[in-house]
Amino acid sequence: MAEDVEKVINDNENVVRGICTPYHYDSRKGRLKKGAFKQKDPTRGVSTYRTIILSADNCKQRAKSLGNADKQYVGLATVAAGAVRSANAAIEDTREAMFYGHADIFIVTGADGYEHEAGEPLPPEISELVDGRIDAILASTNFYLDPQPEADEWQGPGLIAA
């Protein structure tokens, strides 16, 4: 684990998202779902891991810990911070709220002028905005199906963004 990395996330820095089925990955079609980057509350962050701080093994171990009886860890997805920003989403280091090496992707940002009320459905224009941004992020994301999900170490290829 790297020490003393600045909070600023450069555009060329990759972040990793832990992927679980059935929510994030369609095993029948062999591709990521929008759910990989979608939160119930679009103003909350989508958890990712900074590869400049955490190794592939660290990312996998954290992602595996997300699994439970309802969702099974299946792999890791990698996207560059610049691709997130190009989709008009935001990415921020959130080490204080979670842990050193954690970052959140915010699909809906303060610049959008929208505040979500818990339990309320999204207005159509916000649903369209969310779907469009997630589609753009997915287009720039590489997904790596874990060849040995039961192992503790990452056995797949290097985690690089599309």
Side-chain angles (χ1 to χ4, degrees), residues 71-94:
K71 62 182 182 179
Q72 178 184 9
Y73 160 79
V74 293
L76 301 172
T78 307
V79 64
V84 171
R85 292 184 182 112
S86 291
N88 293 317
I91 185 166
E92 297 174 15
D93 182 298
T94 49

Side-chain angles (χ1 to χ4, degrees), residues 16-104:
V16 170
R17 175 93 168 130
I19 302 299
C20 296
T21 189
Y23 302 105
H24 305 147
Y25 180 70
D26 185 331
S27 55
R28 190 173 45 78
K29 294 181 181 177
R31 66 177 187 199
L32 292 177
K33 295 179 178 182
K34 286 184 196 238
F37 290 98
K38 197 172 211 173
Q39 295 287 83
K40 289 180 184 176
D41 176 344
T43 60
R44 285 186 47 219
V46 176
S47 292
T48 63
Y49 313 122
R50 295 184 66 184
T51 59
I52 195 170
I53 297 172
L54 300 175
S55 69
D57 289 345
N58 295 140
C59 292
K60 176 180 177 168
Q61 290 159 8
R62 290 187 177 276
K64 275 182 68 171
S65 72
L66 302 172
N68 60 37
D70 294 329
K71 62 182 182 179
Q72 178 184 9
Y73 160 79
V74 293
L76 301 172
T78 307
V79 64
V84 171
R85 292 184 182 112
S86 291
N88 293 317
I91 185 166
E92 297 174 15
D93 182 298
T94 49
R95 63 182 73 173
E96 288 87 9
M98 297 300 289
F99 56 86
Y100 184 65
H102 188 271
D104 278 309

Side-chain angles (χ1 to χ4, degrees), residues 83-90 106-109 112 129 133 136:
V84 171
R85 292 184 182 112
S86 291
N88 293 317
F106 295 93
I107 303 299
V108 176
T109 69
D112 296 312
L129 177 137
R133 289 180 182 174

